[in-house]
Amino acid sequence: MNARNSRAAHSDKKRQKKYAKQKYYIAITESERRIIINALNTLHNKLLTEGRYTDAVDDVLIKIAYAPIRKSE
């Protein structure tokens, strides 16, 4: 790897680390939440039948399922 590629790779890692720390909040209705959970569960099952990893889907599914619910004003 030359110096230019090395700097680019380092820059990409810094950018990824920055975005990994950011949190995003979205406002969704209870029915939208159920649709998201159902879609993630369907994707999880599809990946399992294909013998593929489900780690990323599992992580998002857990975050959505156990996210705190706030009443909107």
Side-chain angles (χ1 to χ4, degrees), residues 22-47:
Q22 289 182 336
K23 289 188 178 184
Y24 296 91
Y25 298 91
I26 58 172
I28 57 174
T29 65
E30 182 59 32
S31 62
E32 291 169 333
R33 182 177 169 273
R34 282 193 301 262
I35 290 169
I36 293 169
I37 290 173
N38 189 32
L40 288 169
N41 196 34
T42 301
L43 177 59
H44 170 86
N45 292 335
K46 180 183 176 213
L47 292 173

Side-chain angles (χ1 to χ4, degrees), residues 53-61:
Y53 291 107
T54 62
D55 299 348
V57 175
D58 293 342
D59 290 344
V60 176
L61 187 56

